[in-house]
Amino acid sequence: MSGFLGDKSKMTVHHLANRKSECNIYHIEMKDREYFTPDTLDCAKSKDYEFCKFCID
Ligand SMILES: [Zn+2]
């Protein structure tokens, strides 16, 4: 199970364990999903993802 999921269409990263209905992660198309190695926010940030305002403080 991954901790974080990136949405390439919006360049937003979500925290899966803390996801909210507002995140709409089920609407992210498979081609737009990115998982991170290492699976950390620092890694997502280094790829220019913005933090989701619903599931990441
Ligand atoms: Zn989110």
Side-chain angles (χ1 to χ4, degrees), residues 3 14-21 23 54-57:
H14 300 277
H15 186 185
L16 293 174
N18 193 39
R19 66 179 180 265
K20 304 288 190 288
S21 57
C23 295
F54 299 112
C55 60
I56 300 171
D57 287 328

Side-chain angles (χ1 to χ4, degrees), residues 2 11 15 20 23 26 30-33 35 39 43 48 52-53:
S2 295
M11 289 309 291
H15 186 185
K20 304 288 190 288
C23 295
Y26 296 108
M30 293 307 285
K31 68 175 175 55
D32 291 329
R33 296 183 186 208
Y35 295 95
D39 190 13
C43 181
D48 293 331
C52 172
K53 62 176 181 284

